[in-house]
Amino acid sequence: MKKTDSLLLDLAPQKFGRIGIIWTWTLIIISLIGIVAYIDQVIKGQVVTNMNDYALWGIYISNFVFFVATSFVGTVTVAILRLTNNSWRTPIVRIAEIISVAAIIMAGITIMIDMGRPDRLLNLFIHGRLQSPIIWDVIIIPIYIVISLLLLYFPLLPDFALLKLFFEKKNPKLSKWYGKLSLNWTGSLAQKTIQAKSIQLIAVLIIPVGFMLQTIDAWLFSTLFRVGWDSTNMGAYFISGASVAGVGALVTVVYVLQKVYKLEDYITDYHFDKLGKFLVLMCLIYLYFNLNEYLIPQLTSKKEATTHINVLLTGQFAPLFWFVIIGGLIVPVIVLLFKQGRKPLPMFIIGLLVVLGSWWKRYLIVTPTLLHPFLPIQGVPESWHHYFPSLHEWLITAATLAMALLIITALVRYLPIIPIQRTADEQEELELNKNTAK
Amino acid sequence: MKNSNKSSRRKFLNNGLKLGLITTISGIGLSKIAAKLSAQTANDSNTKMELMTMDGTLIQVDSSEVIEVAHSKNEDRKYNVREGMPNRKFVMVIDLAKCKNALKCQSACNKHHYITGEHAWLKVYKMQESEDTAPYWMPTTCMHCDHPACVTVCPVDATFKRRDGLVLIDNERCIGCRFCMAACPYSTRVFNWEEPNQGEITMNMQMKHQTENNSVEFAGMPSIKGTVDKCDFCPHSIKENILPHCVTACPNGVFYFGDKYEDTVTNGEETLRLSKLLIDKDGYRLMESLGTRPSVYYLPPVNRLVDFNEGLDNYTDFKSVEKSE
């Protein structure tokens, strides 16, 4: 019990300082500006975007794909590391779960922004047809939201009980909330067994659901004829890309939280080292699929395929393409292969680079393909031959990103970001082992 | 002990079943008797009613004799917008040898479908397969595919395929996800990015809709913000046995329209046997390899009577809808 007391002092949620408050308000303001821009879009129609009958999808869709990809971090770190018994995951799993929840909720919201008639959202349920990949998305995203929330919630139960006691005098109101959320957790053997079983079940369940989510997202594109999407590679390509985006986001957030909350005792260089190796593996797998996606069509050189790929390699999108491949994948792999590269600060920079690369990667998947249809683009305004997001699109997209960060911030404010009970248990176990060794 | 328990339960069930049967039968009987009784009481009223027979003569009937008739159920024979015209299969043949980019088809289509956006439903492409081959003009409409990619991916069944071959859009249902536009390999679909400014037309059309009550057939009339439009093969015309606007507007007889079951197509001047025409002139369909099975056939641009360059005068790279300011 003493163990948890000292841990609680370190790890219980704290009030934000000045920087925290400024950060939160900045996010709120960006979100509000985006909401205003969105209302304007609803009133005027999507004419406020730079989308057109050829570039019929834009950054709303690529941003959506980015959110879906990032939400995969829950599956990768929590479930896979758990099932493979990697005990180094303890201090970072909750952060991963939080990112996952924020990303998938925002994915659900982002896709609605792209709809021409958001007022007819219910048609998806009234007239929904299972043969459409969009309906698959409508089914899988809520399921993933629920499972992600449960995966976040179940392990929190003992911590809520601890926090209830901890805040009993300092903040009775908060304590009451924690008490309610803890579902009368007493830590009895029966409760522990149920909890362990439930977590195990959800951890197993989230793997197929996570894979399905990513694959369906890939199939949104690969079920269409367009060059650059019509590829059997897509499912695996998206899953590996999602691992990169997710772990990249995780590294970045873990670093920030470690610095802000001074968690150096709990999240150590050792953890960054492990995360770095994990990220290298994910980047290498993704590079492999990229090779499949771009090199093989280039070798067989069908006319449409080479047009499409040359636009990426040497044409209009080349700067972005090479930034994504070199900056977002090759440089991270090289840096992270060195021990010095896996120290917290370089990892943070690499993490940012990976996230940025991942975001633009989705843009490169969506846009260039649409600008090269089968029949030539003729008889439409000159501006329809290109696409770059309008101010409205940027404001709204920035708002969705800000909202995701806002969800993360809110959860970080009220949840213990490092599992208290489990850390205590692990420390006790460690001491016990030491004593027996003596 | 157990056995007797079981048998008694069976007995109970058996009795219950019988009892239930008797109750239902007697219930039905009672209600019939009640109905007869009530009819007899109604007989006493001596009020007469004036009714009109099918041929228009007025007759007087005792009001007690008047019984409401259940509507005859000929739903299958009734015209259903989503099913289309029975026993028809509409097709189009476009003779590329005759096209010289006069663009009368496009302006007629734009006019009659009140197209106010930037993107016409009917376009005439300037095509050249490779450097060494001759350029030609290629009009495109919606291909009304028999295996339409757009219909497959539509999440709400807003775009649908009819038995008479037409692929149409229900603009009252479309959610504007534009998945169908991404699916269409012919880039034929257009989106209403803003409130379509069709002016009085909108009002007129809405009134027409209320009377005819089949808005789906008038896709694009009026257009609705945030939904998808495209060439609809003019169902409002063909229902009246009138050819689509592009067919009648073409001065060169490029477009042939007809019924595959009747095996005839016509451009308004000559009527031809479809199967023979396709064989004689080597008809083909666009992107056959994709398996979309279009309803629009093309005749290759051979033995051309017209000079390709004549069409260049009309060609505009960046415009397909004439704006009247």
Side-chain angles (χ1 to χ4, degrees):
Chain A
M1 213 53 213
K2 266 183 189 165
K3 266 265 129 52
T4 51
D5 283 348
S6 66
L7 281 175
L8 271 169
L9 282 178
D10 275 0
L11 299 179
Q14 297 160 21
K15 274 203 175 123
F16 280 162
R18 220 164 60 110
I19 298 174
I21 290 170
I22 293 173
W23 162 259
T24 313
W25 274 106
T26 315
L27 292 179
I28 291 174
I29 289 167
I30 297 174
S31 307
L32 287 177
I33 294 173
I35 290 170
V36 171
Y38 178 67
I39 291 171
D40 193 44
Q41 175 185 306
V42 170
I43 294 169
K44 288 184 185 150
Q46 286 178 321
V47 68
V48 297
T49 70
N50 276 347
M51 287 189 277
N52 56 62
D53 290 349
Y54 284 95
L56 47 100
W57 287 337
I59 48 168
Y60 295 154
I61 292 290
S62 56
N63 191 40
F64 159 74
V65 178
F66 171 77
F67 274 130
V68 170
T70 309
S71 74
F72 196 53
V73 66
T75 309
V76 174
T77 48
V78 185
I80 294 179
L81 292 183
R82 185 190 167 84
L83 293 178
T84 51
N85 260 334
N86 271 292
S87 55
W88 60 269
R89 74 182 190 279
T90 308
I92 57 155
V93 275
R94 184 145 303 147
I95 301 172
E97 287 155 6
I98 288 173
I99 297 173
S100 203
V101 166
I104 192 63
I105 289 175
M106 286 319 296
I109 293 173
T110 313
I111 191 72
M112 286 184 239
I113 294 171
D114 186 67
M115 284 172 62
R117 301 294 306 213
D119 53 318
R120 297 181 183 170
L121 188 70
L122 281 180
N123 279 8
L124 284 168
F125 303 96
I126 302 168
H127 302 291
R129 292 194 312 164
L130 269 182
Q131 73 196 67
S132 168
I134 289 188
I135 296 295
W136 309 342
D137 241 344
V138 170
I139 294 169
I140 201 78
I141 289 178
I143 293 178
Y144 196 72
I145 290 179
V146 170
I147 293 187
S148 299
L149 279 173
L150 289 182
L151 195 59
L152 176 64
Y153 183 54
F154 285 162
L156 269 169
L157 290 174
D159 289 357
F160 278 141
L162 286 175
L163 289 174
K164 182 196 168 195
L165 291 175
F166 183 71
F167 280 108
E168 206 145 40
K169 290 199 182 113
K170 284 185 220 164
N171 191 342
K173 218 176 182 180
L174 199 61
S175 166
K176 222 171 123 188
W177 274 107
Y178 284 131
K180 271 181 191 158
L181 285 170
S182 71
L183 304 180
N184 293 328
W185 178 268
T186 54
S188 71
L189 192 65
Q191 283 187 341
K192 274 185 179 165
T193 335
I194 296 176
Q195 189 218 17
K197 256 190 196 164
S198 315
I199 296 176
Q200 183 74 10
L201 188 72
I202 293 284
V204 172
L205 209 60
I206 200 171
I207 294 176
V209 175
F211 272 61
M212 271 190 247
L213 174 69
Q214 300 304 324
T215 313
I216 288 171
D217 213 28
W219 286 348
L220 282 182
F221 299 101
S222 64
T223 47
L224 307 175
F225 290 123
R226 308 264 177 160
V227 178
W229 293 347
D230 182 16
S231 154
T232 48
N233 191 25
M234 281 302 217
Y237 183 50
F238 269 54
I239 290 174
S240 59
S243 313
V244 172
V247 178
L250 179 62
V251 169
T252 324
V253 177
V254 165
Y255 177 82
V256 173
L257 292 180
Q258 185 215 32
K259 284 282 163 280
V260 172
Y261 283 97
K262 311 228 165 4
L263 298 172
E264 280 88 349
D265 288 345
Y266 301 93
I267 303 171
T268 60
D269 283 9
Y270 167 74
H271 295 104
F272 277 95
D273 187 67
K274 284 284 190 187
L275 269 176
K277 286 176 181 166
F278 198 42
L279 186 55
V280 171
L281 178 66
M282 295 304 152
C283 285
L284 285 174
I285 296 174
Y286 195 39
L287 264 175
Y288 166 76
F289 282 113
N290 270 285
L291 218 60
N292 278 278
E293 189 63 25
Y294 296 118
L295 194 65
I296 301 308
Q298 190 70 349
L299 280 177
T300 48
S301 64
K302 278 195 270 181
K303 196 178 148 208
E304 286 108 349
T306 41
T307 323
H308 170 66
I309 292 168
N310 282 336
V311 167
L312 294 172
L313 298 184
T314 54
Q316 191 188 345
F317 293 97
L320 213 51
F321 179 82
W322 290 113
F323 164 72
V324 167
I325 293 289
I326 296 176
L329 287 173
I330 294 176
V331 169
V333 166
I334 295 172
V335 172
L336 296 179
L337 280 178
F338 295 97
K339 205 166 173 64
Q340 281 306 312
R342 295 194 297 271
K343 290 273 177 268
L345 185 63
M347 281 278 289
F348 172 64
I349 297 165
I350 291 297
L352 275 182
L353 211 58
V354 166
V355 172
L356 204 63
S358 295
W359 194 90
W360 281 106
K361 174 73 184 168
R362 271 73 198 171
Y363 181 80
L364 288 177
I365 291 173
V366 174
T367 301
T369 287
L370 286 169
L371 293 177
H372 292 92
F374 291 105
L375 291 175
I377 302 180
Q378 289 178 11
V380 293
E382 206 278 326
S383 59
W384 289 21
H385 290 246
H386 322 281
Y387 168 77
F388 194 75
S390 72
L391 182 64
H392 275 78
E393 287 175 272
W394 281 122
L395 290 178
I396 293 170
T397 303
T400 59
L401 293 165
M403 285 178 200
L405 290 174
L406 207 57
I407 296 174
I408 294 175
T409 310
L411 291 177
V412 163
R413 167 68 185 82
Y414 291 105
L415 302 183
I417 42 180
I418 290 177
I420 300 171
Q421 185 66 56
R422 197 148 97 218
T423 312
D425 291 349
E426 273 175 18
Q427 283 183 357
E428 252 166 47
E429 207 171 298
L430 213 68
E431 263 168 38
L432 211 72
N433 286 349
K434 260 187 208 161
N435 289 338
T436 48
K438 270 175 193 172
Chain B
M1 193 62 196
K2 263 186 185 171
N3 264 345
S4 70
N5 232 350
K6 250 186 197 168
S7 69
S8 74
R9 190 183 299 154
R10 202 166 287 156
K11 232 183 210 166
F12 173 73
L13 282 175
N14 199 9
N15 285 341
L17 215 74
K18 277 179 190 157
L19 200 72
L21 254 168
I22 291 164
T23 335
T24 25
I25 291 167
S26 58
I28 292 167
L30 272 174
S31 65
K32 283 218 162 158
I33 293 165
K36 271 191 183 160
L37 278 173
S38 68
Q40 261 164 11
T41 49
N43 243 349
D44 299 339
S45 74
N46 281 323
T47 47
K48 300 272 183 193
M49 263 178 111
E50 245 174 40
L51 296 172
M52 189 184 276
T53 60
M54 295 290 270
D55 47 31
T57 49
L58 280 172
I59 50 164
Q60 271 197 344
V61 185
D62 193 288
S63 65
S64 62
E65 299 286 305
V66 180
I67 308 163
E68 201 179 343
V69 195
H71 280 287
S72 60
K73 294 234 163 58
N74 57 347
E75 297 286 335
D76 49 330
R77 271 193 285 158
K78 244 199 272 169
Y79 179 70
N80 181 339
V81 184
R82 279 187 172 254
E83 291 293 325
M85 291 157 239
N87 305 318
R88 312 295 309 260
K89 172 76 179 75
F90 296 108
V91 290
M92 187 178 266
V93 179
I94 297 176
D95 190 350
L96 298 179
K98 292 183 190 164
C99 180
K100 52 180 179 184
N101 197 31
L103 285 180
K104 294 284 183 258
C105 51
Q106 191 175 67
S107 50
C109 174
N110 289 348
K111 186 184 161 213
H112 289 284
H113 290 104
Y114 309 100
I115 290 166
T116 54
E118 303 278 3
H119 202 179
W121 294 358
L122 189 159
K123 291 211 287 185
V124 182
Y125 285 91
K126 189 174 92 180
M127 296 296 282
Q128 187 166 20
E129 304 298 335
S130 78
E131 276 176 34
D132 306 325
T133 56
Y136 59 95
W137 300 106
M138 184 176 83
T140 57
T141 64
C142 171
M143 298 291 146
H144 293 275
C145 306
D146 285 347
H147 187 201
C150 50
V151 172
T152 309
V153 300
C154 178
V156 295
D157 204 13
T159 186
F160 55 92
K161 175 78 179 170
R162 306 203 308 188
R163 282 191 198 162
D164 58 7
L166 270 58
V167 174
L168 295 180
I169 300 167
D170 182 349
N171 290 74
E172 301 288 343
R173 186 185 286 188
C174 173
I175 60 166
C177 66
R178 303 189 290 285
F179 208 25
C180 55
M181 297 175 75
C184 176
Y186 308 100
S187 306
T188 202
R189 291 173 163 253
V190 306
F191 191 70
N192 292 306
W193 297 97
E194 57 188 320
E195 195 63 65
N197 181 24
Q198 292 173 318
E200 291 174 41
I201 304 151
T202 312
M203 221 172 65
N204 289 344
M205 291 319 301
Q206 270 164 353
M207 282 166 67
K208 207 167 174 188
H209 284 199
Q210 275 160 12
T211 51
E212 300 192 6
N213 198 25
N214 48 5
S215 61
V216 172
E217 286 213 323
F218 295 88
M221 306 198 302
S223 294
I224 297 176
K225 182 178 91 175
T227 63
V228 178
D229 278 339
K230 69 166 188 66
C231 157
D232 58 359
F233 258 19
C234 296
H236 48 283
S237 295
I238 54 182
K239 211 162 75 170
E240 318 283 328
N241 279 324
I242 299 169
L243 287 169
H245 304 295
C246 50
V247 181
T248 45
C250 180
N252 303 311
V254 172
F255 297 89
Y256 293 83
F257 191 82
D259 186 325
K260 199 176 181 187
Y261 296 154
E262 289 173 353
D263 202 19
T264 48
V265 286
T266 177
N267 64 356
E269 284 167 20
E270 53 173 349
T271 303
L272 301 170
R273 188 72 46 220
L274 173 70
S275 49
K276 192 168 176 303
L277 180 68
L278 293 179
I279 289 168
D280 287 352
K281 294 209 169 169
D282 293 332
Y284 67 97
R285 300 187 286 191
L286 283 191
M287 301 175 213
E288 189 76 60
S289 63
L290 296 181
T292 49
R293 288 185 260 148
S295 298
V296 177
Y297 295 84
Y298 283 87
L299 303 180
V302 290
N303 300 328
R304 277 179 287 173
L305 307 168
V306 290
D307 185 9
F308 170 81
N309 292 320
E310 266 178 45
L312 282 175
D313 298 341
N314 279 332
Y315 180 72
T316 46
D317 211 351
F318 301 132
K319 202 165 73 179
S320 56
V321 183
E322 206 67 50
K323 297 269 171 164
S324 57
E325 286 304 320

